[in-house]
Amino acid sequence: MLKSIYVKNFILFEELELVLDKGLTVFTGETGAGKSLLVEAFSLLCGKQASSECIRIGENEAVIEGELKLDLNKLDEELKSFLDSDRAIITRKISKDRSSSVRLNGQSITLKQLKRLMKDYVSIVGQHDYMNLCDERFQLSLIDSQESNILNELEVYKTLYKNYLDLKRQLKSSQVQQNELSKDLDLAKFQYEELYTHDFKPEEDIKLDASKRNLKEVGKGKKIFSSLSRKLDELATISQDISSSLAKLTEDELSLELHSFIQNVSLNSSDYSNDCRVRSQEFELLSTIDVNELESRLDLIFKFKKKYSVNSTEQLNDIKENLKQKLSHIDQTNSDFPKLESEFLAFKKKLKKQAKLLDTLRSGPIQNFQELVNNALKKLNISFPQFTVDLKYNEEDFSDLGSNSIQFNISTNPGQPSDTLKKVASGGELSRILLAIQSQSPNLSVIPTLLYDEIDTGVGGLTGNSLGDYLAKISERHQIIVVTHLPQIAQFSNNHFFINKKSKQDNTEITVSKLDNPDHKKELERMLGGESVLRAVKV
């Protein structure tokens, strides 16, 4: 339960401290007095995002603080670590000059932790929620809240759905990739096969150019090197004869020098003779080359270098290897796709099974839910309500909430056909329908404090009486806080606060005061429009 709220330097509030009790608490005041600003303060205490614009003009910091009485059994271990009793002090500071802060019993916590704490203790219902009642997702969440096992299975489904979407994206990406690669497949195959067939060798173009130049000197070169080889052979023979003759002479200094010189001549002549013979044979080999074939091969290499925009046969070979790898990748992609598709279909089957389980679970409480809501609506002065829930299962239609579509329908007048809430219900009826639904919600029944803003929109007369009476009955189980302009609701209050805006020449301030019984009656008279009207109201 919310025990108190303290507000300082918040928009038009200079300083305010309210002690909140059990039962039905109402806040009233003139239009524009600041009731919505007080609701905003409650919202910030529950974890709503804050802006420095909410700081009172001329101040540097706004403070909103609340005291809660907790049920420690409802808290997770992380939040329990901030507490040493069932008393919790939540403090929010919004600053212009430094980072804003959130504290629980003096210890820093995150906004996410604050929201997690407050969602089990305070529920704020405003105009946005009444309009949300026409939203399909909101309607489905109300059905899911009827039984805890539905929420548990919904979490299982959401995990499966997330994985399903991941697989679906992978499959689509693989399909797109496969289509793109398939467009290139024929061209890649053709290019690889022609490069593979022609089998260009490293530096082949350079070697062929050299051969082309050498062909011009084949005849002359063969003749010269062949002649040189013969003459060097003759020189080697002569040198050997001279060497033999010198060997017969007396070994004086001259003969020894001549003998050494002639031996070197003989050896060198033999070596160079062999070199010239090899060169002559090379020219002989060149003479067997078909000049037309050589020219044709060079033309082919030139054409392929130009076609692939390269400068060498080495680069042509690089392109061939890249094409080989590309073809291998395409083959791998094509072989992976069926496997991924099979995995996706298997997962889709699992998701469909879980979606069907959700549909079965959701269908279970609908009949009882309809009866409870219709009974509650009668107490709220809708005499002949026909509230129904149309839940449909769409086997191939998945969303993050399952495969169900839902529609809340109602007829509020006898003889009128039932139709969607959006088409049939007025603003005042929507607020009562939501109140009827929430009062039957097991999840809401465990939240100690319920704050209703603008629940009386479009409501008046006896309907206001019924609404006030219903809220009073709920306040026997909950702490109910209502911001209202209806005296029919305010008359049932256990605690009545009056909101007033005081404007001076240089500033404006909102004050909130608790009314005792005489002042409570005066405020009801003001709301009704005069003392004579007040006598018709039981207070």
Side-chain angles (χ1 to χ4, degrees):
M1 187 181 93
L2 192 58
K3 304 275 289 182
S4 66
I5 185 169
Y6 171 78
V7 178
K8 184 176 182 180
N9 296 331
F10 176 70
I11 309 180
L12 297 179
F13 291 99
E14 184 174 351
E15 189 168 24
L16 169 68
E17 184 169 11
L18 300 177
V19 176
L20 302 169
D21 293 318
K22 295 179 181 179
L24 176 60
T25 297
V26 299
F27 287 89
T28 64
E30 294 282 1
T31 300
K35 297 188 291 294
S36 61
L37 298 183
L38 184 60
V39 174
E40 183 70 9
F42 277 105
S43 299
L44 290 174
L45 188 65
C46 291
K48 184 178 178 179
Q49 290 282 353
S51 164
S52 60
E53 293 178 1
C54 72
I55 301 172
R56 184 176 170 84
I57 293 174
E59 303 295 336
N60 291 319
E61 184 178 77
V63 178
I64 298 167
E65 187 170 276
E67 180 182 349
L68 273 178
K69 184 177 181 181
L70 305 176
D71 179 356
L72 296 179
N73 293 324
K74 293 172 65 174
L75 298 178
D76 58 45
E77 293 302 319
E78 182 185 16
L79 290 173
K80 277 184 183 179
S81 65
F82 295 95
L83 306 167
D84 52 15
S85 69
D86 63 356
R87 182 172 178 266
I89 304 295
I90 296 110
T91 307
R92 287 200 70 176
K93 290 184 179 180
I94 300 100
S95 175
K96 285 183 178 179
D97 303 327
R98 55 183 183 274
S99 299
S100 298
S101 65
V102 185
R103 292 184 176 274
L104 173 56
N105 287 354
Q107 300 180 67
S108 293
I109 62 170
T110 64
L111 204 58
K112 186 177 179 180
Q113 287 173 318
L114 175 61
K115 289 178 182 178
R116 201 165 79 237
L117 170 67
M118 297 300 284
K119 72 179 178 61
D120 292 327
Y121 289 93
V122 181
S123 175
I124 299 177
V125 184
Q127 185 66 26
H128 179 71
D129 298 281
Y130 308 136
M131 300 311 296
N132 264 354
L133 188 55
C134 298
D135 180 72
E136 185 175 330
R137 291 178 67 87
F138 187 71
Q139 293 175 1
L140 202 56
S141 72
L142 291 172
I143 295 298
D144 290 345
S145 68
Q146 296 303 302
E147 295 182 6
S148 60
N149 60 332
I150 299 179
L151 294 173
N152 293 336
E153 294 300 336
L154 179 59
E155 288 305 310
V156 174
Y157 173 86
K158 285 182 176 180
T159 300
L160 290 172
Y161 182 69
K162 181 179 180 298
N163 293 333
Y164 163 80
L165 290 181
D166 288 342
L167 277 174
K168 189 176 183 179
R169 280 192 289 268
Q170 289 179 43
L171 187 66
K172 185 177 181 180
S173 175
S174 180
Q175 179 72 68
V176 170
Q177 187 180 26
Q178 188 183 43
N179 291 339
E180 290 176 350
L181 290 174
S182 295
K183 292 177 186 176
D184 299 334
L185 180 60
D186 291 340
L187 177 61
K189 276 185 176 179
F190 172 77
Q191 289 177 332
Y192 175 75
E193 287 171 1
E194 71 173 356
L195 288 171
Y196 179 81
T197 300
H198 293 302
D199 191 24
F200 298 111
K201 299 291 189 299
E203 297 187 350
E204 182 179 357
D205 48 348
I206 297 173
K207 292 178 181 178
L208 287 175
D209 274 330
S211 296
K212 182 179 177 181
R213 289 194 301 271
N214 289 337
L215 277 173
K216 296 177 182 178
E217 300 180 356
V218 166
K220 186 193 299 182
K222 178 183 176 184
K223 183 177 180 180
I224 290 173
F225 281 105
S226 178
S227 174
L228 283 172
S229 177
R230 288 195 304 274
K231 290 178 179 179
L232 285 169
D233 283 340
E234 291 174 3
L235 179 58
T237 300
I238 294 169
S239 298
Q240 287 174 359
D241 290 343
I242 294 171
S243 179
S244 297
S245 299
L246 288 171
K248 298 174 181 178
L249 296 175
T250 305
E251 292 185 355
D252 57 14
E253 184 177 349
L254 179 59
S255 62
L256 290 173
E257 288 179 359
L258 285 171
H259 186 265
S260 176
F261 168 74
I262 293 301
Q263 280 186 325
N264 287 333
V265 170
S266 177
L267 290 172
N268 289 331
S269 297
S270 296
D271 289 342
Y272 283 117
S273 175
N274 287 332
D275 291 341
C276 289
R277 193 178 298 110
V278 170
R279 181 58 62 87
S280 176
Q281 290 170 353
E282 288 177 355
F283 279 112
E284 180 70 26
L285 183 63
L286 282 172
S287 67
T288 64
I289 295 176
D290 188 324
V291 176
N292 291 331
E293 285 184 8
L294 187 145
E295 291 284 0
S296 176
R297 183 69 174 178
L298 281 171
D299 287 344
L300 181 68
I301 292 173
F302 176 78
K303 183 178 74 173
F304 269 79
K305 287 196 295 186
K306 185 176 180 181
K307 178 179 180 179
Y308 289 98
S309 302
V310 296
N311 298 315
S312 68
T313 51
E314 287 89 339
Q315 290 173 307
L316 287 173
N317 275 323
D318 290 341
I319 292 173
K320 181 177 72 174
E321 287 304 311
N322 289 337
L323 287 168
K324 184 178 179 181
Q325 292 176 14
K326 183 175 183 178
L327 290 170
S328 176
H329 177 62
I330 292 174
D331 289 340
Q332 183 64 43
T333 302
N334 289 339
S335 65
D336 286 346
F337 182 77
K339 188 191 305 178
L340 186 60
E341 186 177 37
S342 177
E343 184 181 353
F344 170 75
L345 292 174
F347 207 90
K348 183 179 179 181
K349 186 176 180 181
K350 187 186 297 186
L351 182 69
K352 189 182 293 186
K353 183 179 179 181
Q354 186 66 19
K356 182 59 181 173
L357 173 61
L358 269 179
D359 173 62
T360 303
L361 292 173
R362 285 166 171 165
S363 300
I366 284 180
Q367 184 63 39
N368 185 56
F369 177 69
Q370 292 175 160
E371 292 176 6
L372 291 171
V373 172
N374 279 316
N375 289 334
L377 287 172
K378 290 174 184 176
K379 297 174 184 177
L380 288 165
N381 207 32
I382 298 180
S383 301
F384 300 98
Q386 294 180 40
F387 174 80
T388 58
V389 178
D390 183 16
L391 183 73
K392 293 179 180 177
Y393 176 66
N394 312 296
E395 187 177 35
E396 293 296 327
D397 187 9
F398 301 110
S399 77
D400 60 324
L401 296 179
S403 294
N404 286 114
S405 60
I406 193 170
Q407 192 64 62
F408 284 3
N409 302 309
I410 195 167
S411 170
T412 57
N413 299 301
Q416 293 297 315
S418 183
D419 209 334
T420 65
L421 296 183
K422 189 173 184 179
K423 291 182 179 179
V424 175
S426 65
E429 286 171 334
L430 281 176
S431 62
R432 282 180 285 164
I433 293 167
L434 181 59
L435 179 59
I437 290 172
Q438 288 189 320
S439 67
Q440 307 305 318
S441 170
N443 280 359
L444 194 71
S445 66
V446 299
I447 297 178
T449 301
L450 306 175
L451 190 157
Y452 290 97
D453 181 30
E454 299 188 50
I455 196 170
D456 51 14
T457 300
V459 175
L462 292 176
T463 299
N465 264 348
S466 300
L467 185 55
D469 182 54
Y470 197 80
L471 288 167
K473 287 186 171 68
I474 297 177
S475 72
E476 294 172 6
R477 308 188 305 273
H478 300 269
Q479 179 188 39
I480 302 294
I481 301 172
V482 180
V483 177
T484 183
H485 68 276
L486 282 184
Q488 293 95 321
I489 292 176
Q491 67 172 325
F492 289 98
S493 66
N494 304 107
N495 313 287
H496 190 165
F497 290 90
F498 178 67
I499 302 176
N500 187 35
K501 183 163 67 176
K502 298 177 181 179
S503 297
K504 300 178 183 178
Q505 188 173 3
D506 56 350
N507 74 348
T508 302
E509 182 183 350
I510 296 173
T511 61
V512 181
S513 54
K514 187 172 184 179
L515 304 180
D516 57 18
N517 195 51
D519 288 334
H520 164 68
K521 290 181 179 181
K522 287 180 182 178
E523 172 61 3
L524 290 178
E525 181 180 352
R526 182 199 66 78
M527 296 171 75
L528 282 165
E531 187 176 351
S532 59
V533 182
L534 182 62
R535 296 193 190 99
V537 181
K538 180 182 178 182
V539 295

